[in-house]
mmCIF file of all heavy atoms in Angstrom:
data_model
loop_
_atom_site.group_PDB
_atom_site.id
_atom_site.type_symbol
_atom_site.label_atom_id
_atom_site.label_comp_id
_atom_site.label_asym_id
_atom_site.label_seq_id
_atom_site.Cartn_x
_atom_site.Cartn_y
_atom_site.Cartn_z
ATOM 1 N N ALA G 535 -5.767 -9.566 -25.686
ATOM 2 C CA ALA G 535 -6.684 -8.477 -25.374
ATOM 3 C C ALA G 535 -6.182 -7.157 -25.926
ATOM 4 O O ALA G 535 -4.970 -6.894 -25.940
ATOM 5 C CB ALA G 535 -6.866 -8.358 -23.863
ATOM 6 N N TYR G 536 -7.131 -6.338 -26.364
ATOM 7 C CA TYR G 536 -6.847 -4.930 -26.658
ATOM 8 C C TYR G 536 -7.276 -4.157 -25.421
ATOM 9 O O TYR G 536 -8.427 -4.269 -24.976
ATOM 10 C CB TYR G 536 -7.623 -4.448 -27.884
ATOM 11 C CG TYR G 536 -7.459 -2.966 -28.125
ATOM 12 C CD1 TYR G 536 -6.235 -2.446 -28.513
ATOM 13 C CD2 TYR G 536 -8.525 -2.094 -27.928
ATOM 14 C CE1 TYR G 536 -6.062 -1.080 -28.718
ATOM 15 C CE2 TYR G 536 -8.370 -0.727 -28.138
ATOM 16 C CZ TYR G 536 -7.134 -0.228 -28.527
ATOM 17 O OH TYR G 536 -6.966 1.114 -28.720
ATOM 18 N N VAL G 537 -6.366 -3.418 -24.838
ATOM 19 C CA VAL G 537 -6.606 -2.790 -23.534
ATOM 20 C C VAL G 537 -6.604 -1.273 -23.622
ATOM 21 O O VAL G 537 -5.710 -0.671 -24.218
ATOM 22 C CB VAL G 537 -5.529 -3.242 -22.510
ATOM 23 C CG1 VAL G 537 -5.732 -2.546 -21.166
ATOM 24 C CG2 VAL G 537 -5.573 -4.750 -22.330
ATOM 25 N N ILE G 538 -7.628 -0.683 -23.034
ATOM 26 C CA ILE G 538 -7.635 0.760 -22.791
ATOM 27 C C ILE G 538 -7.518 0.907 -21.273
ATOM 28 O O ILE G 538 -8.433 0.520 -20.529
ATOM 29 C CB ILE G 538 -8.931 1.427 -23.287
ATOM 30 C CG1 ILE G 538 -9.085 1.240 -24.802
ATOM 31 C CG2 ILE G 538 -8.939 2.902 -22.917
ATOM 32 C CD1 ILE G 538 -10.395 1.786 -25.358
ATOM 33 N N LEU G 554 -1.072 -8.474 -25.243
ATOM 34 C CA LEU G 554 -1.850 -7.279 -25.529
ATOM 35 C C LEU G 554 -1.643 -6.902 -26.990
ATOM 36 O O LEU G 554 -0.512 -6.680 -27.431
ATOM 37 C CB LEU G 554 -1.422 -6.135 -24.601
ATOM 38 C CG LEU G 554 -1.426 -6.451 -23.098
ATOM 39 C CD1 LEU G 554 -1.194 -5.198 -22.278
ATOM 40 C CD2 LEU G 554 -2.721 -7.138 -22.672
ATOM 41 N N THR G 555 -2.734 -6.853 -27.724
ATOM 42 C CA THR G 555 -2.647 -6.663 -29.165
ATOM 43 C C THR G 555 -3.917 -6.018 -29.692
ATOM 44 O O THR G 555 -4.981 -6.111 -29.060
ATOM 45 C CB THR G 555 -2.437 -8.020 -29.879
ATOM 46 O OG1 THR G 555 -2.380 -7.806 -31.298
ATOM 47 C CG2 THR G 555 -3.564 -8.987 -29.579
ATOM 48 N N ASP G 556 -3.818 -5.372 -30.849
ATOM 49 C CA ASP G 556 -5.025 -4.864 -31.515
ATOM 50 C C ASP G 556 -5.335 -5.685 -32.767
ATOM 51 O O ASP G 556 -6.150 -5.285 -33.606
ATOM 52 C CB ASP G 556 -4.879 -3.381 -31.859
ATOM 53 C CG ASP G 556 -3.735 -3.092 -32.826
ATOM 54 O OD1 ASP G 556 -3.037 -4.049 -33.229
ATOM 55 O OD2 ASP G 556 -3.528 -1.910 -33.167
ATOM 56 N N HIS G 557 -4.696 -6.854 -32.899
ATOM 57 C CA HIS G 557 -4.934 -7.736 -34.047
ATOM 58 C C HIS G 557 -5.815 -8.919 -33.627
ATOM 59 O O HIS G 557 -5.349 -9.839 -32.954
ATOM 60 C CB HIS G 557 -3.606 -8.249 -34.623
ATOM 61 C CG HIS G 557 -3.799 -9.183 -35.795
ATOM 62 N ND1 HIS G 557 -4.300 -8.751 -37.004
ATOM 63 C CD2 HIS G 557 -3.577 -10.524 -35.920
ATOM 64 C CE1 HIS G 557 -4.379 -9.783 -37.833
ATOM 65 N NE2 HIS G 557 -3.951 -10.864 -37.204
ATOM 66 N N GLU G 558 -7.071 -8.867 -33.983
ATOM 67 C CA GLU G 558 -8.044 -9.933 -33.695
ATOM 68 C C GLU G 558 -7.962 -10.430 -32.235
ATOM 69 O O GLU G 558 -7.794 -11.632 -31.987
ATOM 70 C CB GLU G 558 -7.851 -11.104 -34.661
ATOM 71 C CG GLU G 558 -8.089 -10.719 -36.124
ATOM 72 C CD GLU G 558 -7.907 -11.902 -37.070
ATOM 73 O OE1 GLU G 558 -7.570 -13.006 -36.599
ATOM 74 O OE2 GLU G 558 -8.113 -11.713 -38.278
ATOM 75 N N PRO G 559 -8.059 -9.523 -31.256
ATOM 76 C CA PRO G 559 -7.959 -9.952 -29.854
ATOM 77 C C PRO G 559 -9.194 -10.751 -29.420
ATOM 78 O O PRO G 559 -10.285 -10.577 -29.988
ATOM 79 C CB PRO G 559 -7.876 -8.629 -29.092
ATOM 80 C CG PRO G 559 -8.650 -7.674 -29.948
ATOM 81 C CD PRO G 559 -8.344 -8.082 -31.365
ATOM 82 N N TYR G 561 -10.468 -10.350 -26.470
ATOM 83 C CA TYR G 561 -11.234 -9.408 -25.655
ATOM 84 C C TYR G 561 -10.823 -7.965 -25.923
ATOM 85 O O TYR G 561 -9.661 -7.696 -26.240
ATOM 86 C CB TYR G 561 -10.989 -9.664 -24.152
ATOM 87 C CG TYR G 561 -11.448 -11.016 -23.663
ATOM 88 C CD1 TYR G 561 -10.535 -12.063 -23.538
ATOM 89 C CD2 TYR G 561 -12.770 -11.241 -23.314
ATOM 90 C CE1 TYR G 561 -10.932 -13.310 -23.084
ATOM 91 C CE2 TYR G 561 -13.187 -12.481 -22.848
ATOM 92 C CZ TYR G 561 -12.271 -13.514 -22.731
ATOM 93 O OH TYR G 561 -12.669 -14.750 -22.286
ATOM 94 N N VAL G 562 -11.761 -7.066 -25.760
ATOM 95 C CA VAL G 562 -11.471 -5.652 -25.545
ATOM 96 C C VAL G 562 -11.694 -5.416 -24.060
ATOM 97 O O VAL G 562 -12.770 -5.700 -23.536
ATOM 98 C CB VAL G 562 -12.390 -4.732 -26.377
ATOM 99 C CG1 VAL G 562 -12.303 -3.285 -25.873
ATOM 100 C CG2 VAL G 562 -12.018 -4.796 -27.850
ATOM 101 N N VAL G 563 -10.655 -4.937 -23.372
ATOM 102 C CA VAL G 563 -10.743 -4.726 -21.929
ATOM 103 C C VAL G 563 -10.618 -3.230 -21.646
ATOM 104 O O VAL G 563 -9.592 -2.616 -21.944
ATOM 105 C CB VAL G 563 -9.645 -5.507 -21.169
ATOM 106 C CG1 VAL G 563 -9.825 -5.318 -19.662
ATOM 107 C CG2 VAL G 563 -9.696 -6.988 -21.528
ATOM 108 N N LEU G 564 -11.678 -2.673 -21.080
ATOM 109 C CA LEU G 564 -11.716 -1.247 -20.776
ATOM 110 C C LEU G 564 -11.508 -1.019 -19.282
ATOM 111 O O LEU G 564 -12.215 -1.606 -18.452
ATOM 112 C CB LEU G 564 -13.071 -0.665 -21.199
ATOM 113 C CG LEU G 564 -13.331 0.801 -20.843
ATOM 114 C CD1 LEU G 564 -12.408 1.722 -21.617
ATOM 115 C CD2 LEU G 564 -14.797 1.160 -21.113
ATOM 116 N N TYR G 570 -8.508 9.051 -21.814
ATOM 117 C CA TYR G 570 -9.291 8.324 -22.821
ATOM 118 C C TYR G 570 -9.155 9.040 -24.159
ATOM 119 O O TYR G 570 -9.376 10.248 -24.249
ATOM 120 C CB TYR G 570 -10.771 8.277 -22.429
ATOM 121 C CG TYR G 570 -11.076 7.385 -21.257
ATOM 122 C CD1 TYR G 570 -11.489 7.917 -20.047
ATOM 123 C CD2 TYR G 570 -10.964 6.003 -21.374
ATOM 124 C CE1 TYR G 570 -11.786 7.098 -18.961
ATOM 125 C CE2 TYR G 570 -11.256 5.175 -20.311
ATOM 126 C CZ TYR G 570 -11.666 5.717 -19.102
ATOM 127 O OH TYR G 570 -11.947 4.896 -18.047
ATOM 128 N N SER G 571 -8.781 8.289 -25.210
ATOM 129 C CA SER G 571 -8.625 8.929 -26.518
ATOM 130 C C SER G 571 -9.721 8.458 -27.470
ATOM 131 O O SER G 571 -10.163 7.306 -27.411
ATOM 132 C CB SER G 571 -7.252 8.609 -27.118
ATOM 133 O OG SER G 571 -7.238 7.316 -27.698
ATOM 134 N N PHE G 572 -10.130 9.369 -28.349
ATOM 135 C CA PHE G 572 -11.158 9.036 -29.335
ATOM 136 C C PHE G 572 -10.655 7.923 -30.254
ATOM 137 O O PHE G 572 -11.408 7.025 -30.637
ATOM 138 C CB PHE G 572 -11.523 10.276 -30.153
ATOM 139 C CG PHE G 572 -12.687 10.065 -31.067
ATOM 140 C CD1 PHE G 572 -13.984 10.037 -30.575
ATOM 141 C CD2 PHE G 572 -12.486 9.866 -32.428
ATOM 142 C CE1 PHE G 572 -15.061 9.818 -31.425
ATOM 143 C CE2 PHE G 572 -13.557 9.646 -33.289
ATOM 144 C CZ PHE G 572 -14.855 9.628 -32.775
ATOM 145 N N GLU G 573 -9.368 7.954 -30.559
ATOM 146 C CA GLU G 573 -8.770 6.932 -31.421
ATOM 147 C C GLU G 573 -8.869 5.540 -30.781
ATOM 148 O O GLU G 573 -9.236 4.564 -31.441
ATOM 149 C CB GLU G 573 -7.299 7.276 -31.680
ATOM 150 C CG GLU G 573 -6.599 6.285 -32.611
ATOM 151 C CD GLU G 573 -5.117 6.590 -32.761
ATOM 152 O OE1 GLU G 573 -4.643 7.594 -32.195
ATOM 153 O OE2 GLU G 573 -4.434 5.812 -33.444
ATOM 154 N N ALA G 574 -8.550 5.454 -29.483
ATOM 155 C CA ALA G 574 -8.611 4.163 -28.782
ATOM 156 C C ALA G 574 -10.049 3.659 -28.691
ATOM 157 O O ALA G 574 -10.314 2.459 -28.874
ATOM 158 C CB ALA G 574 -8.007 4.297 -27.391
ATOM 159 N N MET G 575 -10.988 4.562 -28.422
ATOM 160 C CA MET G 575 -12.393 4.151 -28.332
ATOM 161 C C MET G 575 -12.921 3.681 -29.683
ATOM 162 O O MET G 575 -13.671 2.712 -29.773
ATOM 163 C CB MET G 575 -13.239 5.295 -27.768
ATOM 164 C CG MET G 575 -13.020 5.531 -26.285
ATOM 165 S SD MET G 575 -14.134 6.757 -25.586
ATOM 166 C CE MET G 575 -13.294 8.273 -26.000
ATOM 167 N N THR G 576 -12.503 4.369 -30.744
ATOM 168 C CA THR G 576 -12.907 3.964 -32.094
ATOM 169 C C THR G 576 -12.377 2.561 -32.410
ATOM 170 O O THR G 576 -13.094 1.708 -32.953
ATOM 171 C CB THR G 576 -12.378 4.974 -33.137
ATOM 172 O OG1 THR G 576 -12.909 6.262 -32.849
ATOM 173 C CG2 THR G 576 -12.775 4.559 -34.545
ATOM 174 N N LYS G 577 -11.121 2.315 -32.056
ATOM 175 C CA LYS G 577 -10.528 0.998 -32.289
ATOM 176 C C LYS G 577 -11.285 -0.068 -31.495
ATOM 177 O O LYS G 577 -11.555 -1.168 -32.008
ATOM 178 C CB LYS G 577 -9.049 1.003 -31.902
ATOM 179 C CG LYS G 577 -8.302 -0.270 -32.272
ATOM 180 C CD LYS G 577 -6.799 -0.098 -32.126
ATOM 181 C CE LYS G 577 -6.236 0.761 -33.226
ATOM 182 N NZ LYS G 577 -4.753 0.791 -33.193
ATOM 183 N N ALA G 578 -11.634 0.245 -30.254
ATOM 184 C CA ALA G 578 -12.386 -0.697 -29.420
ATOM 185 C C ALA G 578 -13.725 -1.045 -30.062
ATOM 186 O O ALA G 578 -14.125 -2.219 -30.118
ATOM 187 C CB ALA G 578 -12.596 -0.108 -28.025
ATOM 188 N N VAL G 579 -14.420 -0.032 -30.559
ATOM 189 C CA VAL G 579 -15.723 -0.243 -31.211
ATOM 190 C C VAL G 579 -15.567 -1.182 -32.416
ATOM 191 O O VAL G 579 -16.338 -2.143 -32.589
ATOM 192 C CB VAL G 579 -16.331 1.111 -31.656
ATOM 193 C CG1 VAL G 579 -17.485 0.894 -32.642
ATOM 194 C CG2 VAL G 579 -16.796 1.901 -30.437
ATOM 195 N N ARG G 580 -14.554 -0.954 -33.220
ATOM 196 C CA ARG G 580 -14.363 -1.764 -34.435
ATOM 197 C C ARG G 580 -13.975 -3.201 -34.096
ATOM 198 O O ARG G 580 -14.425 -4.150 -34.750
ATOM 199 C CB ARG G 580 -13.310 -1.108 -35.336
ATOM 200 C CG ARG G 580 -13.829 0.194 -35.950
ATOM 201 C CD ARG G 580 -12.775 0.976 -36.692
ATOM 202 N NE ARG G 580 -13.346 2.213 -37.246
ATOM 203 C CZ ARG G 580 -12.632 3.211 -37.744
ATOM 204 N NH1 ARG G 580 -11.296 3.122 -37.776
ATOM 205 N NH2 ARG G 580 -13.228 4.291 -38.218
ATOM 206 N N LEU G 581 -13.156 -3.370 -33.060
ATOM 207 C CA LEU G 581 -12.746 -4.719 -32.655
ATOM 208 C C LEU G 581 -13.928 -5.498 -32.069
ATOM 209 O O LEU G 581 -14.080 -6.698 -32.326
ATOM 210 C CB LEU G 581 -11.602 -4.645 -31.640
ATOM 211 C CG LEU G 581 -10.264 -4.150 -32.197
ATOM 212 C CD1 LEU G 581 -9.279 -3.902 -31.062
ATOM 213 C CD2 LEU G 581 -9.680 -5.156 -33.198
ATOM 214 N N ILE G 582 -14.773 -4.824 -31.286
ATOM 215 C CA ILE G 582 -15.965 -5.485 -30.729
ATOM 216 C C ILE G 582 -16.927 -5.855 -31.845
ATOM 217 O O ILE G 582 -17.485 -6.957 -31.873
ATOM 218 C CB ILE G 582 -16.631 -4.580 -29.673
ATOM 219 C CG1 ILE G 582 -15.738 -4.464 -28.430
ATOM 220 C CG2 ILE G 582 -18.010 -5.116 -29.274
ATOM 221 C CD1 ILE G 582 -16.122 -3.353 -27.482
ATOM 222 N N ASN G 583 -17.106 -4.957 -32.796
ATOM 223 C CA ASN G 583 -17.969 -5.263 -33.951
ATOM 224 C C ASN G 583 -17.421 -6.437 -34.767
ATOM 225 O O ASN G 583 -18.176 -7.161 -35.422
ATOM 226 C CB ASN G 583 -18.121 -4.029 -34.841
ATOM 227 C CG ASN G 583 -19.097 -3.019 -34.260
ATOM 228 O OD1 ASN G 583 -19.964 -3.368 -33.466
ATOM 229 N ND2 ASN G 583 -18.951 -1.762 -34.657
ATOM 230 N N ALA G 584 -16.091 -6.618 -34.712
ATOM 231 C CA ALA G 584 -15.461 -7.717 -35.462
ATOM 232 C C ALA G 584 -15.470 -9.029 -34.669
ATOM 233 O O ALA G 584 -14.990 -10.050 -35.170
ATOM 234 C CB ALA G 584 -14.037 -7.346 -35.835
ATOM 235 N N GLY G 585 -15.971 -9.010 -33.431
ATOM 236 C CA GLY G 585 -16.106 -10.267 -32.680
ATOM 237 C C GLY G 585 -15.404 -10.337 -31.340
ATOM 238 O O GLY G 585 -15.561 -11.335 -30.617
ATOM 239 N N ALA G 586 -14.624 -9.313 -30.966
ATOM 240 C CA ALA G 586 -13.967 -9.338 -29.654
ATOM 241 C C ALA G 586 -15.019 -9.206 -28.555
ATOM 242 O O ALA G 586 -16.008 -8.489 -28.707
ATOM 243 C CB ALA G 586 -12.949 -8.203 -29.545
ATOM 244 N N ARG G 587 -14.807 -9.913 -27.446
ATOM 245 C CA ARG G 587 -15.732 -9.847 -26.314
ATOM 246 C C ARG G 587 -15.387 -8.630 -25.469
ATOM 247 O O ARG G 587 -14.217 -8.314 -25.272
ATOM 248 C CB ARG G 587 -15.623 -11.133 -25.482
ATOM 249 C CG ARG G 587 -15.955 -12.376 -26.284
ATOM 250 C CD ARG G 587 -15.183 -13.602 -25.787
ATOM 251 N NE ARG G 587 -15.316 -14.739 -26.694
ATOM 252 C CZ ARG G 587 -14.521 -14.943 -27.749
ATOM 253 N NH1 ARG G 587 -13.544 -14.098 -28.022
ATOM 254 N NH2 ARG G 587 -14.718 -15.990 -28.515
ATOM 255 N N PHE G 588 -16.423 -7.979 -24.931
ATOM 256 C CA PHE G 588 -16.253 -6.682 -24.265
ATOM 257 C C PHE G 588 -16.252 -6.871 -22.735
ATOM 258 O O PHE G 588 -17.232 -7.342 -22.153
ATOM 259 C CB PHE G 588 -17.392 -5.766 -24.704
ATOM 260 C CG PHE G 588 -17.292 -4.332 -24.247
ATOM 261 C CD1 PHE G 588 -16.102 -3.782 -23.789
ATOM 262 C CD2 PHE G 588 -18.423 -3.516 -24.299
ATOM 263 C CE1 PHE G 588 -16.026 -2.461 -23.387
ATOM 264 C CE2 PHE G 588 -18.364 -2.194 -23.894
ATOM 265 C CZ PHE G 588 -17.164 -1.663 -23.436
ATOM 266 N N VAL G 610 -17.563 5.676 -20.201
ATOM 267 C CA VAL G 610 -16.939 5.351 -21.491
ATOM 268 C C VAL G 610 -17.505 4.032 -22.035
ATOM 269 O O VAL G 610 -17.714 3.876 -23.237
ATOM 270 C CB VAL G 610 -15.405 5.291 -21.355
ATOM 271 C CG1 VAL G 610 -14.756 4.917 -22.677
ATOM 272 C CG2 VAL G 610 -14.872 6.636 -20.869
ATOM 273 N N LEU G 613 -20.665 4.656 -23.866
ATOM 274 C CA LEU G 613 -20.421 5.183 -25.209
ATOM 275 C C LEU G 613 -20.132 4.029 -26.183
ATOM 276 O O LEU G 613 -20.690 3.978 -27.282
ATOM 277 C CB LEU G 613 -19.239 6.154 -25.158
ATOM 278 C CG LEU G 613 -18.822 6.878 -26.433
ATOM 279 C CD1 LEU G 613 -18.158 8.209 -26.086
ATOM 280 C CD2 LEU G 613 -17.838 6.049 -27.274
ATOM 281 N N ILE G 614 -19.264 3.101 -25.758
ATOM 282 C CA ILE G 614 -18.905 1.969 -26.623
ATOM 283 C C ILE G 614 -20.110 1.057 -26.843
ATOM 284 O O ILE G 614 -20.335 0.555 -27.952
ATOM 285 C CB ILE G 614 -17.702 1.204 -26.026
ATOM 286 C CG1 ILE G 614 -16.458 2.104 -26.050
ATOM 287 C CG2 ILE G 614 -17.439 -0.098 -26.785
ATOM 288 C CD1 ILE G 614 -15.252 1.526 -25.330
ATOM 289 N N THR G 615 -20.916 0.862 -25.794
ATOM 290 C CA THR G 615 -22.131 0.044 -25.924
ATOM 291 C C THR G 615 -23.091 0.671 -26.927
ATOM 292 O O THR G 615 -23.696 -0.031 -27.748
ATOM 293 C CB THR G 615 -22.821 -0.111 -24.556
ATOM 294 O OG1 THR G 615 -22.002 -0.920 -23.719
ATOM 295 C CG2 THR G 615 -24.189 -0.766 -24.692
ATOM 296 N N ALA G 617 -22.357 2.467 -29.415
ATOM 297 C CA ALA G 617 -21.799 2.368 -30.769
ATOM 298 C C ALA G 617 -21.776 0.937 -31.304
ATOM 299 O O ALA G 617 -21.696 0.734 -32.510
ATOM 300 C CB ALA G 617 -20.383 2.939 -30.787
ATOM 301 N N THR G 618 -21.837 -0.060 -30.397
ATOM 302 C CA THR G 618 -21.716 -1.460 -30.826
ATOM 303 C C THR G 618 -22.972 -2.289 -30.578
ATOM 304 O O THR G 618 -23.142 -3.346 -31.185
ATOM 305 C CB THR G 618 -20.572 -2.160 -30.064
ATOM 306 O OG1 THR G 618 -20.865 -2.130 -28.659
ATOM 307 C CG2 THR G 618 -19.231 -1.489 -30.331
#
Side-chain angles (χ1 to χ4, degrees):
Y536 174 68
V537 177
I538 299 176
L554 307 189
T555 179
D556 62 359
H557 179 68
E558 298 181 358
Y561 297 98
V562 166
V563 183
L564 175 67
Y570 289 112
S571 79
F572 187 76
E573 182 184 357
M575 287 186 277
T576 300
K577 187 168 287 187
V579 165
R580 290 172 180 168
L581 291 171
I582 291 166
N583 283 337
R587 300 150 190 87
F588 187 17
V610 178
L613 182 153
I614 294 173
T615 291
T618 61

